[in-house]
Amino acid sequence: MSFRSIRVAVAVLATVLTLLPLGVAHAGNSPGLAPLDEVTYVGLINADRAKAGLHPLTVHLQLTRIAREHSGSMATDSDRGGSCGDGRTLRHRNPLDGGITENWRSLRENVGCGSGSLGSAPSLHQGFMNSPGHRANILAPDVEHVGIGVLVDGGGTTWVTQIFMGGGMPPVLTAIEEGLKASQVTFPTDDRPDFVVVSRADLFADSLGGAALAGGDAPVLFTDGPTAAEPQPVLRPDTRVEIDRLLGGSGRVYLLGGPDALSPRVESELRGAGYDVKRLAGATRVETAIAIADETVELRGAPDEIALAYAWNWPDAITGGAAAGHNGAPLVLVDTDAIPAATASFLARHPKAERLVLGGSVVVSDRVLRDVGGQRLAGATRHDTAIAVADGLFGEIGSSVVVIDGWDPDGWGRALAWSAYAVRNGAPTILVNDEVPSSVADWLAAQDDGVVPLFGSAVTSGARSAVEQLLAS
């Protein structure tokens, strides 16, 4: 068995470690790729990382492809000669980062080979772990992804490449996971929120006013909605653990939506745990938004502004909701060509508040704008509207911006999850797609030095890189 390792950090190659071959024999295997061994290596690596108190690594397909290609090139290198374990140097891919297009920050690589019965994945993995250099790569705390390439050549020799990457495209989180992450970032252990808001994770209808309610005072967390298989689901255990961390067994928990959205079991569990549970709900999403808006007024007093958004899509309402929360304003819903009765009644109760219509005339008509007597904050597209909202409601921004994929079907949950962070940090929510639209690029480039992005988990690596470069320019 022969090994070599390389470490790469911030695009600088560190010293290459060459180790003496351990010389094991390998029983006959059919030639070709060995994906079962690749899976085995990942399990062994993550088991050793768990023992060391480290997070597990996720399999990265681009790294896997490159690792497989390199294992193949090691096996067929005409300059090598001899056989595995003869003391010759194993070659690394050079440059290691040449085929990696992700926005990585660190790269590490182990290569090895073995033949005979001791050349199995467990034996080769133990050989890596017995080597200080290879072990350091496997247990590096700054990596999140791994690609393993295992090839068995015609002579029965196994060739292994392991590539470890820090940075790049992080795994896409569910709304529930995103809510937990955002809560832990926004409200660390020594910063207790005033209350907690809980939303259904799979549909946005009852959540459109949630960001305005939470403001910077509370996180928005998520739990599962009903399904045919589980019509009355319990509260997600990880969400319950986070509520307990935040509130410590007492305090207010708001539930957005009626029992058909958030199960009665969720409410009964929280009440049984000692929490003051208040459900904000109405017969439709419009009435639910009004119940949330009334509670927002109860918490923050008579509003100077009221945000109005289209009821049947999320981008303008969710991005505008954080901006409304920044100003202590409630958010209510309208149709394209009509003001629902519940919304009209709410507006009549607050005649002095300025009306701010979020979105263009395609979603909220000029007729509705005239009827409410307000001003429009809008652009030609959803990402342009997000910029108009940022400029119109946030004004001068703080030290960061929240960046969400505005065409991701779950983008509403990601934006809602980060809404409290947005309010507390003066960080407007900006929408991108696979690329950064030109109007967004111009807006980002015009921001002051020192502004940093916080990305929702579905933003692509290409868009992330472009945003970072624009803010650094």
Side-chain angles (χ1 to χ4, degrees):
M1 180 161 45
S2 181
F3 295 112
R4 193 181 180 201
S5 68
I6 190 170
R7 303 181 198 180
V8 184
V10 198
V12 178
L13 291 173
T15 302
V16 175
L17 303 174
T18 304
L19 298 111
L20 295 176
L22 303 182
V24 299
H26 182 17
N29 284 322
S30 59
L33 293 174
L36 179 59
D37 281 352
E38 294 172 355
V39 172
T40 301
Y41 274 110
V42 174
L44 293 168
I45 287 168
N46 281 335
D48 279 326
R49 287 180 66 86
K51 291 176 185 177
L54 298 169
H55 57 269
L57 304 183
T58 59
V59 174
H60 192 287
L61 294 183
Q62 187 176 83
L63 300 183
T64 300
R65 174 182 58 78
I66 293 170
R68 287 177 173 181
E69 290 172 353
H70 187 61
S71 290
S73 71
M74 287 195 297
T76 59
D77 189 344
S78 60
D79 293 334
R80 173 180 299 284
S83 60
C84 177
D86 66 357
R88 296 174 184 266
T89 299
L90 299 183
R91 288 179 172 81
H92 285 275
R93 178 183 175 89
N94 187 23
L96 175 58
D97 67 315
I100 299 175
T101 59
E102 296 282 13
N103 185 29
W104 58 271
R105 66 172 182 271
S106 65
L107 294 171
R108 297 165 178 262
E109 184 186 59
N110 291 338
V111 294
C113 59
S115 55
S117 60
L118 296 180
S120 65
S123 295
L124 286 167
H125 173 74
Q126 192 57 53
F128 282 129
M129 290 297 291
N130 289 341
S131 162
H134 299 85
R135 179 185 178 91
N137 287 347
I138 289 171
L139 300 183
D142 66 335
V143 297
E144 294 93 22
H145 311 282
V146 66
I148 309 289
V150 180
L151 182 130
V152 182
D153 67 20
T157 297
T158 299
W159 304 86
V160 183
T161 303
Q162 302 175 336
I163 304 176
F164 305 90
M165 182 174 74
M169 183 67 182
V172 175
L173 304 178
T174 65
I176 292 170
E177 294 167 334
E178 193 106 30
L180 295 171
K181 177 181 178 181
S183 176
Q184 290 157 12
V185 170
T186 309
F187 298 94
T189 304
D190 59 349
D191 189 357
R192 176 171 167 158
D194 294 344
F195 53 90
V196 168
V197 178
V198 178
S199 170
R200 178 176 176 170
D202 56 337
L203 295 174
F204 63 78
D206 292 325
S207 304
L208 295 175
L213 172 67
D217 300 322
V220 180
L221 300 175
F222 299 89
T223 192
D224 298 288
T227 64
E230 190 61 43
Q232 289 198 20
V234 300
L235 179 64
R236 279 289 296 250
D238 44 4
T239 298
R240 167 62 190 280
V241 169
E242 181 64 4
I243 292 171
D244 289 344
R245 182 189 75 84
L246 293 164
L247 298 182
S250 65
R252 169 68 59 85
V253 178
Y254 289 107
L255 303 184
L256 304 185
D260 290 336
L262 292 176
S263 163
R265 289 182 174 178
V266 172
E267 184 172 355
S268 63
E269 177 181 335
L270 289 168
R271 289 192 187 281
Y275 292 107
D276 174 20
V277 180
K278 187 168 185 178
R279 190 185 286 272
L280 302 175
T284 70
R285 66 183 66 191
V286 171
E287 282 79 12
T288 294
I290 296 302
I292 296 170
D294 282 336
E295 189 66 22
T296 304
V297 173
E298 183 69 23
L299 289 173
R300 300 192 175 90
D304 295 324
E305 300 167 335
I306 299 172
L308 297 91
Y310 180 57
W312 304 99
N313 204 352
W314 65 264
D316 298 339
I318 293 292
T319 57
H326 181 260
N327 290 356
L331 182 140
V332 296
L333 303 177
V334 295
D335 293 320
T336 298
D337 291 311
I339 306 170
T343 300
S345 176
F346 179 86
L347 294 174
R349 294 197 298 274
H350 304 284
K352 295 182 180 181
E354 182 181 9
R355 279 74 160 131
L356 300 173
V357 173
L358 311 180
S361 58
V362 172
V363 291
V364 180
S365 68
D366 289 338
R367 173 187 171 185
V368 169
L369 178 66
R370 288 193 301 270
D371 288 347
V372 300
Q375 65 168 308
R376 189 188 297 277
L377 297 176
T381 66
R382 62 183 63 181
H383 55 256
D384 292 324
T385 293
I387 290 173
V389 169
D391 289 339
L393 290 180
F394 268 89
E396 184 177 352
I397 70 173
S399 60
S400 60
V401 294
V402 174
V403 183
I404 300 294
D405 184 339
W407 282 258
D408 169 23
D410 295 324
W412 69 271
R414 308 187 201 290
L416 189 55
W418 289 106
S419 62
Y421 174 93
V423 174
R424 290 168 75 90
N425 292 277
T429 302
I430 300 302
L431 303 181
V432 298
N433 198 353
D434 292 341
E435 299 178 348
V436 179
S438 59
S439 57
V440 178
D442 292 342
W443 187 89
L444 291 167
Q447 301 309 308
D448 294 336
D449 293 341
V451 174
V452 297
L454 186 148
F455 296 103
S457 67
V459 178
T460 66
S461 59
R464 287 169 181 258
S465 179
V467 169
E468 288 171 343
Q469 291 175 20
L470 287 161
L471 288 173
S473 62

